Amino acid sequence: MSRGFESHTLRAMRPTTRLRPIEPGDAPDLAALVTANAEHLRPWEPQRPDSWFTVAGQLDTITQLRAAERRGTGQSFVIDSDGEIVGRITLSGITRGALQSCALGYWVRADRQGRGHATEAVRLAVSHAFDRLGLHRVQAETLPENHRSQRVLERNGFVRYGVAPEYLQIAGQWRDHVMFQVVAPRASATQD
């Protein structure tokens, strides 16, 4: 009897993860987060100038992300857990025409990892890409040693389809990346 109560209690305590569009007012919180998580994020991201870690730097980033949204080439969200920003997720490089695809990128602050935020955020972003944007494919890339991110992608139906040599400059070095993709479920044969 005690086991059932513990299981129920643990489920009730699990934080709620939501996505909401990124806003200029998020700049102070994001500046604080990227500064506090600089060492955690450094191995996985491009080198950043010191100005990127400031409120002004984050506001500039948000301005660029929102401009991509107006052009129809991107959608960016903060990852919210019970009213607190715990990370960011972006659908970038949205391409229409025959491709109907985008790239997915995300990060979650160090002290909130392992709680399902990334898995749920990726699920929500992929659903948005397929259901709201009408895209056919979402791709994501990870460094070969980023096994945690690879598991998040695999939990969301992404499949590994190759390796891109020297794909992105990360932490000052051109690094190979493992390529993943998920394709939208096929529409019913009865639909025209």
Side-chain angles (χ1 to χ4, degrees):
M1 192 167 195
S2 169
R3 292 185 129 203
F5 177 76
E6 289 171 17
S7 175
H8 176 73
T9 301
L10 289 175
R11 265 185 261 136
M13 293 171 46
R14 186 176 188 99
T16 301
T17 302
R18 294 187 177 94
L19 301 184
R20 69 166 175 74
I22 198 165
E23 302 171 352
D26 295 324
D29 289 337
L30 288 170
L33 281 176
V34 297
T35 299
N37 287 271
E39 290 305 313
H40 165 67
L41 296 172
R42 192 175 323 280
W44 316 112
E45 293 205 334
Q47 286 183 322
R48 308 284 191 185
D50 290 343
S51 61
W52 189 78
F53 296 91
T54 66
V55 174
Q58 287 302 299
L59 186 56
D60 183 55
T61 298
I62 292 167
T63 300
Q64 292 174 36
L65 293 170
R66 289 172 58 110
E69 185 169 346
R70 286 190 299 278
R71 288 189 307 272
T73 60
Q75 298 252 307
S76 297
F77 306 91
V78 292
I79 303 169
D80 177 282
S81 175
D82 299 326
E84 179 183 17
I85 296 175
V86 297
R88 196 179 85 201
I89 191 163
T90 301
L91 301 171
S92 63
I94 295 173
T95 304
R96 297 297 183 171
L99 189 58
Q100 297 293 327
S101 184
C102 73
L104 172 78
Y106 62 91
W107 58 266
V108 172
R109 58 193 265 186
D111 66 342
R112 299 299 288 271
Q113 290 198 337
R115 299 182 188 188
H117 297 301
T119 299
E120 182 64 5
V122 168
R123 184 189 72 76
L124 292 168
V126 168
S127 177
H128 182 81
F130 292 157
D131 300 339
R132 303 288 301 283
L133 300 179
L135 298 176
H136 171 69
R137 177 178 169 273
V138 178
Q139 70 180 49
E141 302 80 28
T142 73
L143 289 168
E145 65 272 20
N146 193 345
H147 302 290
R148 290 182 84 164
S149 192
Q150 292 168 18
R151 284 192 301 274
V152 165
L153 295 171
E154 289 166 349
R155 281 187 209 114
N156 279 285
F158 282 77
V159 294
R160 178 183 169 149
Y161 70 95
V163 174
E166 298 184 20
Y167 184 69
L168 291 173
Q169 194 175 54
I170 301 296
Q173 297 181 8
W174 288 101
R175 297 290 313 274
D176 297 352
H177 277 67
V178 180
M179 310 293 284
F180 288 85
Q181 70 175 8
V182 63
V183 176
R186 294 184 189 258
S188 167
T190 60
Q191 293 179 343
D192 289 332

